Amino acid sequence: MDKNCEPIARLIGCFMSLPGVGYKTAQRYAYSVLKLDKTDCSNFAKAIVDVKDKVKFCKICGNFTENDVCDICKNRQSDIICVVKEPKDIIALEKVKNTKWVYHVLQGCISPLEGKGPDDIRIKELLDRINNGNVKEVILATNPDVEGEATAIYISRLLKPLGIKTTRLAQGISMGSDLEYADEVTLTKAIESRTEI
Amino acid sequence: MDKNCEPIARLIGCFMSLPGVGYKTAQRYAYSVLKLDKTDCSNFAKAIVDVKDKVKFCKICGNFTENDVCDICKNRQSDIICVVKEPKDIIALEKVKNTKWVYHVLQGCISPLEGKGPDDIRIKELLDRINNGNVKEVILATNPDVEGEATAIYISRLLKPLGIKTTRLAQGISMGSDLEYADEVTLTKAIESRTEI
């Protein structure tokens, strides 16, 4: 079936394990690797090995880091914890100017369909942080989908008895979007949470 | 600027060297590599190194191969040579059923804009093959673009004095396409080369 020679076919197989990459794209990538010079090639290979060897989870928040504690936890003191699903959500939220919070990565969301319950994500570690430290507010920044909402509601119910302010990212229409194409749920949320100007 | 830790940022940079991959896609790939298990990761890295170390050009046709001579040249005897720009064109042409030809890879096309003349691509090697062997027909299967056409015309003029049948892939409308959206040049070619049914 595969007319490519073995090393190329093997590399195509590897590229196909990346998200959204099919055979044609993987083949295109493999041929472009063949055009790289030898140093770039070994650097690429080294980068793949290094990312697996060197990147660990931050002991405190669960973010990716090379050290025991990530740069954010090391350099930022805050009594606000922003709870996210995955490390990549931190990258997105760090685009906000003057971020004054620290993070807590759940490493997933409650999802009965995937067989993931509250004990399978890092909720216990969050409660430990809250019990040990001086936390004033918890921002629940899970995705606005079914799993994210369920997880946010679950955590907010756990935190209520502790008397900690629990907030959720505002929902509404996105900047630059078009009302015409906004869905019903988003518009309902936007109307409900309308603000005075 | 980059909020990712060093090994991840480095891997993102590597992925960005692939064609059509921007920062966001590269980051998505890098995070998915982090989710691979250790064996898959080292296999991936090994595949990248191997492809550069093990893949050579076939001594006869210039196709990619692990050995001195590629599988096609080794297993197929033919007096028809199909001339293509790059090894990946062979993969495409091998989809044709009952391929009875062998290949010759030019490793590029004549392109004054890129400073590539007839001496920079493997035309001399093609002439050597024709002079040494029993070649009846040369199929010029370069791309139907300016560089490909120019290269095909150049080679056909070299071959004419040698008395070798020189053919070009037929041009016309693609299967499944829509006349409405066919461009002028394609339609003109399709009319010119119309066939009796």
Side-chain angles (χ1 to χ4, degrees):
Chain A
M1 183 65 197
D2 201 321
K3 302 282 185 182
N4 287 294
C5 67
E6 193 274 333
I8 301 180
R10 183 148 49 90
L11 183 58
I12 291 175
C14 289
F15 276 126
M16 282 175 77
S17 67
L18 299 175
V21 177
Y23 187 84
K24 284 245 167 174
T25 309
Q27 183 175 288
R28 197 168 161 224
Y29 289 170
Y31 279 106
S32 87
V33 168
L34 272 167
K35 282 185 186 163
L36 292 178
D37 63 40
K38 206 147 183 170
T39 329
D40 287 343
C41 235
S42 55
N43 285 343
F44 199 156
K46 194 166 175 298
I48 289 178
V49 173
D50 279 357
V51 95
K52 199 67 194 176
D53 280 350
K54 293 191 181 167
V55 177
K56 299 176 287 188
F57 292 117
C58 168
K59 268 185 183 174
I60 301 173
C61 73
N63 189 10
F64 289 134
T65 174
E66 280 181 276
N67 313 306
D68 281 348
V69 173
C70 76
D71 286 349
I72 296 174
C73 287
K74 201 166 68 182
N75 300 322
R76 209 178 284 170
Q77 299 293 326
S78 178
D79 48 12
I80 307 173
I81 295 182
C82 181
V83 176
V84 295
K85 183 185 173 192
E86 290 174 292
K88 63 184 166 195
D89 299 324
I90 295 181
I91 308 290
L93 282 162
E94 281 294 295
K95 286 180 202 149
V96 177
K97 283 200 181 109
N98 299 321
T99 43
K100 283 174 185 156
W101 49 81
V102 289
Y103 294 92
H104 187 84
V105 181
L106 293 175
Q107 307 291 8
C109 271
I110 297 172
S111 167
L113 277 177
E114 296 171 29
K116 263 192 178 171
D119 298 335
D120 299 316
I121 59 176
R122 297 178 69 251
I123 292 180
K124 196 187 150 292
E125 287 85 345
L126 175 65
L127 295 176
D128 287 348
R129 276 178 84 178
I130 291 168
N131 288 329
N132 291 337
N134 175 30
V135 178
K136 217 169 64 186
E137 180 179 348
V138 171
I139 306 172
L140 297 168
T142 51
N143 288 326
D145 53 17
V146 179
E147 284 85 11
E149 287 290 331
T151 310
I153 291 167
Y154 182 88
I155 297 176
S156 70
R157 287 194 186 150
L158 287 179
L159 298 185
K160 198 144 273 175
L162 304 176
I164 287 165
K165 185 176 168 191
T166 313
T167 54
R168 179 100 179 94
L169 291 189
Q171 291 187 356
I173 46 171
S174 304
M175 200 65 196
S177 68
D178 201 321
L179 275 192
E180 191 182 347
Y181 303 113
D183 65 290
E184 208 178 292
V185 181
T186 303
L187 277 177
T188 309
K189 292 264 185 187
I191 290 279
E192 277 172 9
S193 319
R194 66 191 180 275
T195 51
E196 220 170 288
I197 55 164
Chain B
M1 183 64 199
D2 201 322
K3 301 283 185 184
N4 288 294
C5 66
E6 192 275 331
I8 300 182
R10 183 150 47 91
L11 183 57
I12 291 175
C14 289
F15 276 126
M16 282 174 77
S17 68
L18 299 175
V21 177
Y23 187 84
K24 285 245 168 175
T25 309
Q27 183 176 288
R28 198 168 161 224
Y29 290 169
Y31 279 106
S32 87
V33 168
L34 272 166
K35 282 185 186 164
L36 293 178
D37 63 39
K38 206 147 185 171
T39 328
D40 287 342
C41 235
S42 56
N43 286 343
F44 198 155
K46 195 167 173 299
I48 288 178
V49 173
D50 279 357
V51 96
K52 200 68 194 173
D53 280 351
K54 293 192 183 166
V55 176
K56 300 176 285 189
F57 292 117
C58 168
K59 268 185 182 174
I60 301 173
C61 73
N63 187 12
F64 289 134
T65 175
E66 279 181 276
N67 312 307
D68 281 348
V69 172
C70 75
D71 286 349
I72 295 174
C73 288
K74 202 167 67 183
N75 301 321
R76 209 179 284 170
Q77 299 292 328
S78 178
D79 48 11
I80 306 173
I81 295 182
C82 181
V83 176
V84 296
K85 184 185 173 193
E86 288 174 293
K88 63 184 166 195
D89 299 325
I90 295 182
I91 308 290
L93 282 162
E94 282 293 296
K95 286 181 204 150
V96 178
K97 283 199 181 109
N98 300 321
T99 43
K100 283 174 186 155
W101 49 80
V102 290
Y103 293 93
H104 186 84
V105 182
L106 293 174
Q107 307 290 10
C109 271
I110 296 173
S111 168
L113 276 177
E114 296 170 29
K116 264 193 178 170
D119 298 335
D120 300 316
I121 59 176
R122 297 177 69 250
I123 292 179
K124 197 189 150 288
E125 287 84 345
L126 175 64
L127 295 176
D128 287 348
R129 277 178 83 178
I130 291 168
N131 288 330
N132 291 337
N134 175 30
V135 178
K136 217 169 64 186
E137 179 180 350
V138 171
I139 305 171
L140 297 168
T142 51
N143 288 326
D145 53 17
V146 180
E147 285 85 11
E149 287 291 331
T151 310
I153 291 167
Y154 182 88
I155 296 176
S156 70
R157 288 195 186 150
L158 287 180
L159 298 185
K160 199 145 271 176
L162 304 176
I164 288 165
K165 185 177 169 191
T166 313
T167 53
R168 180 101 178 93
L169 291 189
Q171 291 188 357
I173 47 172
S174 304
M175 200 66 195
S177 69
D178 201 322
L179 275 192
E180 191 183 348
Y181 303 113
D183 65 288
E184 209 177 290
V185 181
T186 303
L187 278 177
T188 309
K189 292 264 185 186
I191 290 280
E192 278 172 9
S193 318
R194 66 191 179 278
T195 51
E196 221 168 289
I197 54 166

